[in-house]
Amino acid sequence: MTLQEIVDDSKRIVFFGGAGVSTESGIPDFRSQDGLYNQKYDYPPEQIVSHTFFTRKTEEFYRFYKDRMIFPKAKPNAAHKKLAELERAGKLFAVITQNIDGLHQAAGSVNVIELHGSVHRNYCMSCGKSYSLDKIMASEGVPKCDCGGLIKPDVVLYEESLNTSDIERAVNEISKADCLIIGGTSLAVYPAAGLVHYFKGKYLVVINKSELNADADLVINDSIGEVLSHISV
């Protein structure tokens, strides 16, 4: 079957996406040849984006975070826009993303489950006050709250657990779906990748530029934006 035929035959689609969905908006991933893990810094990127590093070397963390993890000028691409269109048409019931850029919401998607948090949400670790991305971008050095407390991005760092309610929502949506489309992810990051095992529906589709060992009904090795843009709703 073609992807169009699967979409047409499906009543409850869920999309599970990773970094490859946002690379077409100019946001680098972590593991590709040009990804963050293959760039040179004073510390390995995996170490910088850990809870321990954030606590011990907060200024160094924010220098890297502002330079390499925040892309305020990035715009939704064809994949983001088509997923939002599918939701408006009543075909797509949820977007589950490992990305932290907020581009799904910017494209118009409503039911978005952000497993790893969002750069657009930030909070004071002392009083809990919320701050937007603008506060982080405008701060020199380490962002501080009006109360003097340290502001932390609401993103899941290494050594931190995923939000339990987000996991429960994702499991619920995947288990009820009759079609699960996996896009732009190597399925290498756990526990997020393990959520796929809860799918018991009719069609499992994988869209990824690089090949994956996936037992799917349809595998497409191509640009996710290009593939989805050809789907008619």
Side-chain angles (χ1 to χ4, degrees):
M1 294 183 76
T2 66
L3 180 57
Q4 183 67 64
E5 289 172 331
I6 289 175
V7 169
D8 289 344
D9 190 51
S10 299
K11 301 289 190 294
R12 193 180 184 95
I13 301 171
V14 168
F15 179 82
F16 183 97
V21 179
S22 291
T23 52
E24 293 172 38
S25 292
I27 297 177
D29 64 8
F30 273 72
R31 291 175 170 76
S32 68
Q33 185 175 350
D34 298 320
L36 294 179
Y37 283 174
N38 293 305
Q39 298 182 26
K40 303 301 180 186
Y41 295 92
D42 292 340
Y43 302 89
E46 315 92 292
Q47 183 179 347
I48 296 175
V49 293
S50 69
H51 180 83
T52 297
F53 195 93
F54 173 81
T55 302
R56 295 178 180 175
K57 296 182 179 291
T58 310
E59 190 166 352
E60 187 74 17
F61 167 87
Y62 265 112
R63 189 177 299 119
F64 176 87
Y65 180 75
K66 291 179 182 180
D67 183 44
R68 302 305 306 160
M69 295 185 70
I70 300 176
F71 297 86
K73 294 183 180 179
K75 302 295 182 185
N77 60 51
H80 298 109
K81 293 174 182 176
K82 182 59 69 173
L83 291 169
E85 184 182 347
L86 285 166
E87 185 182 33
R88 287 193 297 272
K91 279 286 195 179
L92 183 76
F93 279 70
V95 169
I96 303 167
T97 180
Q98 299 174 82
N99 298 333
I100 59 175
D101 48 52
L103 291 180
H104 285 293
Q105 291 93 328
S109 289
V110 177
N111 190 23
V112 181
I113 303 170
E114 296 171 307
L115 295 176
H116 294 158
S118 172
V119 299
H120 295 280
R121 297 189 301 270
N122 306 273
Y123 65 93
C124 173
M125 297 181 73
S126 296
C127 73
K129 182 177 179 179
S130 297
Y131 287 94
S132 69
L133 179 59
D134 292 338
K135 171 69 174 181
I136 304 299
M137 298 301 296
S139 299
E140 292 289 337
V142 178
K144 292 293 182 68
C145 177
D146 297 335
C147 77
L150 172 64
I151 297 175
K152 182 183 184 295
D154 189 14
V155 298
V156 179
L157 304 177
Y158 285 114
E159 305 167 351
E160 295 179 347
S161 300
L162 300 188
N163 184 286
T164 302
S165 64
D166 289 336
I167 295 175
E168 291 175 351
R169 286 176 60 206
V171 168
N172 183 51
E173 293 291 358
I174 289 173
S175 63
K176 292 192 298 186
D178 61 358
C179 173
L180 178 62
I181 301 176
I182 300 171
T185 175
S186 61
L187 292 178
V189 179
Y190 282 81
L195 294 173
V196 176
H197 299 306
Y198 289 94
F199 177 67
K200 307 299 181 187
K202 190 174 182 181
Y203 300 114
L204 179 61
V205 178
V206 173
I207 307 170
N208 201 56
K209 278 190 174 181
S210 58
E211 292 187 16
L212 296 177
N213 289 324
D215 184 17
D217 298 286
L218 178 64
V219 177
I220 303 174
N221 296 127
D222 203 349
S223 156
I224 188 166
E226 181 71 18
V227 172
L228 291 183
S229 65
H230 288 99
I231 296 298
S232 59
V233 179

